[in-house]
Amino acid sequence: MTSDWPLDRLVARADALAGAWGARARGSTTVGQERAILRLFGVTGLDAAGRPLAGATVDRWLSGDPGTLGNGIALPFAMALVEYDLEPRQLAMDVASGAIDLTLEGELLREPDRRGVAEAEAQRLASAAIERIDAQRTVRRETVGMLGEAHRPWLGVTLREPEVEAALEEVASLIAAGIDLIRIEVPIGRELADRLTDAGLEVPRWQPREGGASGFDPIESAPPGSLRAITRLRRAIDRAAARRRAYVRLATAAPALGAPEGAVVAAFERIDLLTSDAMAEIVSNAVEPDRALADHSFAHRLARRAGTMILVGPGPLVVAPDLSSGMPSDPATRAGRALALQLLGVTLARGDGLAPDQIIVGALPPWLTDEAAPGARAIAEVAVRRALFADNPLGFVEPPTGTDRSVLWPYVQAAAAVHGGDIALVLRALDIAPDDPVAAARAARAASLVSVDVAGATVPGALTGVARDHARGMVEAALVTLDRLGDQGWRTVAGDPPGAVRGSRARDAATERTESFDPFASMLGPRG
C-alpha cells in the first residue's frame, strides 16, 4: 500500500532540517525559558502589581541590557540568594520591585570564588527541582500500578466550566461517565497578551461570574488552567479515578509562548499529556521560528525527565503559498503541507530525547470534514501517518464545532481509526450536547468501543479512488514543502506577519546561550 509513496525521502529531508534546527534550538534561550528556570527554582505567584512574578523578575533583569539574556538568569539569581540570604520568592519580589539589581550580582560572577558559590547554589536549586519532578513521576507509576491502566484509546474531553469550583464537579461527573483523560486549556500569559495588544487584537480575559458559579465565592474562584486550580483538579481527578478503579490522565494545552512554563507546571503537578506544537505557533500565531523551536525544545527536555507525553498536532493550515499565487490549493496539497510540518515537529521532539511512545501524533486535520469525501480522505490521512510514524501512537482530536458538517467528525474518525493501529487518544468535543455532557461522554465511549472492535476484526486493504489520490497528493506536497523550507526558509509557509506583530518580534527572539554552566545539564540532558 505504501510502496509508491516516497516516505524515505520525506523522512530524510525532515531529518536534515530538524537536525540543524534542533541543535540551534537546544543551544538557545528565550525569555520564556528564563521564566521557566525561575519557576523551577521556586518562584511562583504574583508581584506587588499583580503581574506573574517570574515574568516580572525576568523583565526587570533584562530592562537595563537585553543582551544579558544569553547569559541566563540562573547564576546571577543564585548569587543574589547567597548574598542577601533570601528565599527565591522573596528575592524575586525584590528584583521585580527594583530593590535588588541582578546586574550587580552578574559583576560578582567574574570573581572565581564567588562564581563557585553561585554555581553550587544554582545546582542545589536545580537538584531540588529535579527531585520534585522525579517524585511526581514515581507517584504516577505507583498510582497506575495501584488503580490499573485505562484501556486505550483513552477517551478525553476538554473541561467546559470556566471556574475551578464548577470544574471540580464537572470532573467527577465526566470520570464517572467513563472519561479517561481531562484536558484543560491554560489561559494566555502576559507576554502573549501584550503581543496581541500591540497587534491591535482583542485579548481574552478571564473574569469570574457575577456572584460566583453555582453560588461559589468569586474571590476563591480561578480559571481551571491556573496553577492553583490545576493542583486542586489533579487531586480531584485522582479521587474520582480511585472510585472508578482506573487511572485518569490530566492534559493541558498551553497557549503560544507558554511552552517552557507549561512544561514546568506539568512536571511539578503530574500532568500526563502536553500539547506541543511549535509549527502551529510559527504559522498560526506568527511567533518567530527560532523562538518557538527553542521554547519547545526546552519543554521536551523537561517532559522527557517527567515522563510526560506530548501531543504533536496534525500540522497547521498553511495558506501562504495560496495567497502568493492567488490560487486556492486542493485538499491533498493543504494536507501535505500540514504533514510536512507535523513530521518536523515529531522529528524535533525525538531529537530532544523523547521516546516514540511518548509522542502522540495527531491523526486528522481539523478542517477535513469541510471537504468532499471526508471519510475517504480521513482514511488516507491515517494510513499515511501510520506508515510514516510506525512507532508512534496516534491521537484523534475533534475540532470545535462550527460548521454544518461538524456532525460528521465522529463517523469519519471511527472509519479512519480502523487504519490507525496503535491509537492512544480520542479527544471529543462535548459542546455538541451542552445540556447533557455526561450523556454525550457515554455516547462517545460507546462509539470508541465499536471502532476498536471493528479495527480488531478487520485487516485494512489497499487504498483506492479518492483515498489513494489524496494519499499520493499529500506525500508529494509534503516533499515540496520541505524542499521549499530548506531552500527559501520559513516565509514559504508562515508568510509575512501583520506589521504590528512583525514589530513585536524583537521580544520573541531566541538568543544563543553564552553561559557554559547549566545546572540542569546532567539531569535533563545537554542543551547543544
Side-chain angles (χ1 to χ4, degrees), residues 141-479:
R141 182 177 64 249
E142 293 178 348
T143 305
V144 171
M146 179 178 62
L147 297 180
E149 182 66 273
H151 294 296
R152 285 167 65 161
W154 303 315
L155 179 62
V157 298
T158 300
L159 286 183
R160 302 184 311 148
E161 289 291 346
E163 296 170 320
V164 63
E165 298 292 350
L168 291 169
E169 295 181 354
E170 184 184 10
V171 160
S173 297
L174 291 172
I175 292 174
I179 295 299
D180 306 309
L181 179 143
I182 302 294
R183 178 179 177 268
I184 301 169
E185 293 183 343
V186 178
I188 66 172
R190 187 177 184 87
E191 184 184 5
L192 179 57
D194 290 345
R195 200 169 181 274
L196 293 174
T197 299
D198 290 347
L201 302 175
E202 184 178 354
V203 179
R205 299 188 185 279
W206 179 85
Q207 292 290 337
R209 296 176 184 171
E210 186 176 352
S214 304
F216 296 117
D217 183 355
I219 296 177
E220 296 298 323
S221 190
S226 64
L227 177 56
R228 61 174 173 157
I230 285 175
T231 301
R232 297 181 63 190
L233 285 165
R234 176 74 268 179
R235 292 196 297 264
I237 289 169
D238 287 342
R239 288 194 298 269
R243 289 191 293 270
R244 205 184 78 178
R245 302 297 300 171
Y247 186 73
V248 176
R249 283 169 167 76
L250 176 60
T252 55
L257 306 178
E261 291 174 279
V264 174
V265 174
F268 280 175
E269 302 297 331
R270 193 167 32 96
I271 293 169
D272 304 284
L273 174 66
L274 287 172
T275 298
S276 178
D277 202 338
M279 303 302 149
E281 289 194 20
I282 294 168
V283 174
S284 304
N285 299 106
V287 175
E288 178 67 27
D290 285 346
R291 165 71 187 274
L293 297 180
D295 277 354
H296 283 268
S297 177
F298 181 94
H300 293 158
R301 295 168 69 219
L302 269 178
R304 177 175 177 267
R305 181 75 189 213
T308 305
M309 301 181 79
I310 69 166
L311 171 64
V312 179
L317 179 62
V318 176
V319 296
D322 301 342
L323 296 176
S324 297
S325 67
M327 294 291 292
S329 56
D330 59 68
T333 298
R334 295 196 302 274
R337 295 169 185 162
L339 178 68
L341 295 179
Q342 181 184 45
L343 177 58
L344 284 172
V346 172
T347 305
L348 286 163
R350 294 192 64 171
D352 291 328
L354 288 171
D357 61 0
Q358 263 187 287
I359 306 169
I360 300 177
V361 176
L364 295 178
W367 45 265
L368 197 66
T369 53
D370 294 329
E371 302 297 333
R377 296 184 191 279
I379 289 171
E381 297 271 353
V382 169
V384 170
R385 285 181 170 84
R386 178 41 63 215
L388 192 59
F389 305 109
D391 298 326
N392 298 92
L394 299 184
F396 290 85
V397 179
E398 183 176 9
T401 59
T403 69
D404 292 339
R405 295 172 65 85
S406 298
V407 70
L408 290 174
W409 191 88
Y411 306 101
V412 168
Q413 180 270 320
V418 176
H419 296 254
D422 180 12
I423 299 172
L425 170 67
V426 178
L427 186 67
R428 291 297 311 274
L430 297 188
D431 52 352
I432 58 174
D435 296 330
D436 194 351
V438 171
R442 289 174 177 155
R445 165 59 67 197
S448 179
L449 291 175
V450 171
S451 179
V452 170
D453 287 346
V454 173
T458 58
V459 177
L463 301 183
T464 61
V466 173
R468 178 194 59 213
D469 294 342
H470 187 86
R472 287 176 176 171
M474 67 186 290
V475 172
E476 291 171 0
L479 275 169

